[in-house]
Amino acid sequence: SKYWVKAGAFFASRDLSLSANGTVFADTGVDNAEIDFDSTTGLDDTSDLFIAEFGWHFGKKWDVALQHFRSSRSAQKELSESFEWEDVVYEAGAAIRAHSYLKITRLFFSRRFWDKGPHDLRLGAGLHLIDTGASVSGEATLEDDTTEFQANVVSASFPFPDIGAWYRYSIDDRWLFHTRVDWLSASTSDFGGGIWNASAGIDFALNKNIGIGLAYQFFQIDGTVKENTWRGELRTRYEGFTLSLDGFW
């Protein structure tokens, strides 16, 4: 097939830890402390994400794939411990509302280096466009010990390159096993750290143009955000099964 498209759901568990502009836990005074954002603010650590992919085989040995997934969650909670976020303190017992989101768009070019019978190995390089952010709102204590409603948001959007490999094994005319891994650790003007993106799965062709797919997906970002709207640490991981409806022609 020259083209393929996948659309489905990513049933992921998530860990999110971050700090923002000198975040501290108010009861300990630890500067730049990373917050387990999910548990501290009451966000669910499971998430159903939309995921989609479009691919094109061109030339004799080249492929390009465009993948996108997104996650957005909100929660309300009465705090069990105090913490400082963006230079204001949210005291234990305060009612807050939290929100976080992540959007990933990934463009990856690969070249076939080994194609023998049912085996297909490809190596390549790509680019992730990462758009992420978090917010906390509620009654906060200011530096003069007065309280008022505060809504504080951090966000960042930046590109980040990677390198990777694909491997496919055609079991027969209907079944296809596939796995891939992308990785890079680098420092740019917007972000310094590492990124991992890996998956393994199996596709089944219902007919010559439509199929279904099941895969296990892992995605991780770990590093320091250096944008004007957010200076702090970002550590997030998504992993779980994806179920997709596939088209190819």
Side-chain angles (χ1 to χ4, degrees):
S1 300
K2 187 174 182 180
Y3 304 99
W4 75 90
V5 63
K6 291 175 172 282
F10 183 11
F11 305 100
S13 63
R14 186 188 83 162
D15 290 327
L16 175 62
S17 298
L18 48 83
S19 64
N21 297 341
T23 300
V24 304
F25 279 102
D27 55 350
T28 64
V30 178
D31 291 326
N32 298 315
E34 288 185 6
I35 297 172
D36 184 334
F37 200 76
D38 291 339
S39 62
T40 300
T41 62
L43 291 175
D44 189 2
D45 62 0
T46 60
S47 182
D48 300 340
L49 292 76
F50 171 76
I51 188 167
E53 180 176 313
F54 172 77
W56 174 34
H57 300 293
F58 64 96
K60 292 183 178 181
K61 295 186 176 182
W62 292 92
D63 298 309
V64 60
L66 182 67
Q67 184 185 53
H68 177 80
F69 75 85
R70 63 175 183 261
S71 171
S72 179
R73 293 184 298 166
S74 298
Q76 293 181 325
K77 180 183 180 180
E78 182 176 304
L79 290 176
S80 59
E81 60 180 335
S82 303
F83 72 94
E84 184 177 328
W85 177 260
E86 291 280 274
D87 299 324
V88 298
V89 177
Y90 295 91
E91 300 284 359
I96 65 164
R97 180 176 179 82
H99 175 74
S100 70
Y101 71 89
L102 175 68
K103 300 177 184 177
I104 303 289
T105 301
R106 171 183 174 272
L107 182 66
F108 193 81
F109 288 88
S110 64
R111 184 183 186 277
R112 186 181 300 118
F113 282 87
W114 184 44
D115 186 4
K116 185 177 181 180
H119 303 281
D120 184 355
L121 176 64
R122 305 162 190 235
L123 305 177
L127 188 70
H128 285 77
L129 179 60
I130 300 168
D131 183 9
T132 186
S135 66
V136 179
S137 60
E139 288 296 319
T141 303
L142 307 183
E143 292 182 354
D144 60 2
D145 292 330
T146 61
T147 60
E148 66 176 39
F149 180 85
Q150 288 278 319
N152 295 286
V153 181
V154 295
S155 62
S157 180
F158 53 90
F160 198 76
D162 69 341
I163 56 175
W166 285 2
Y167 171 72
R168 298 175 182 177
Y169 176 71
S170 297
I171 301 171
D172 56 29
D173 291 341
R174 288 183 175 267
W175 292 95
L176 174 70
F177 170 78
H178 55 89
T179 184
R180 71 186 183 198
V181 60
D182 313 335
W183 169 86
L184 191 68
S185 180
S187 181
T188 68
S189 60
D190 301 310
F191 179 79
I195 187 170
W196 280 95
N197 187 10
S199 69
I202 193 164
D203 294 342
F204 177 73
L206 300 173
N207 56 43
K208 67 177 183 178
N209 296 117
I210 299 175
I212 55 175
L214 178 67
Y216 195 84
Q217 179 91 27
F218 174 87
F219 180 79
Q220 178 177 287
I221 304 173
D222 186 351
T224 301
V225 181
K226 298 179 285 186
E227 291 199 351
N228 292 333
T229 55
W230 182 1
R231 289 188 175 273
E233 300 298 315
L234 168 64
R235 306 181 194 279
T236 187
R237 185 181 76 245
Y238 288 81
E239 59 180 311
F241 285 97
T242 65
L243 182 63
S244 65
L245 180 65
D246 308 337
F248 31 85
W249 62 97

